[in-house]
Amino acid sequence: VELLLAVPSIDVNAKSRECYTEVGYTALIGAARSGHTATVELLLAVPGIDVNVKEDEYGCTALMLASQYGDFPTVTMLLHTLPTTPTA
């Protein structure tokens, strides 16, 4: 993951095109859903990461999926990165 994140042209907010059940997942959403806390931490350190991107099927964010699957360390990390000013 660290090697991929070092590529200057990498788009950390890009969504997957086709996968059996993970349509429209970003790397952050996939890592948060799967309990990969270390990967979430690496991704959150990347400038420009968007923690509010929604996956395409149900409109879930990384925070929603981490919460649903009980990954409390990831939930805590994501909560600390959310903007303090609500957006509509």
Side-chain angles (χ1 to χ4, degrees):
V1 173
E2 291 179 52
L3 290 173
L4 288 172
L5 293 177
V7 175
S9 61
I10 195 89
D11 180 2
V12 293
N13 297 311
K15 290 185 173 184
S16 63
R17 292 187 195 179
E18 289 185 33
C19 193
Y20 296 105
T21 59
E22 300 176 356
V23 176
Y25 274 31
T26 63
L28 182 62
I29 291 171
R33 181 192 181 279
S34 302
H36 297 291
T37 306
T39 301
V40 170
E41 187 172 19
L42 288 171
L43 290 166
L44 290 176
V46 175
I49 190 82
D50 186 352
V51 298
N52 291 314
V53 172
K54 297 177 182 176
E55 54 87 19
D56 294 343
E57 190 172 3
Y58 298 106
C60 294
T61 64
L63 177 60
M64 294 165 75
L65 290 169
S67 299
Q68 178 180 350
Y69 288 95
D71 185 354
F72 300 113
T74 296
V75 168
T76 302
M77 278 193 286
L78 290 166
L79 285 173
H80 286 292
T81 62
L82 290 175
T84 55
T85 306
T87 58

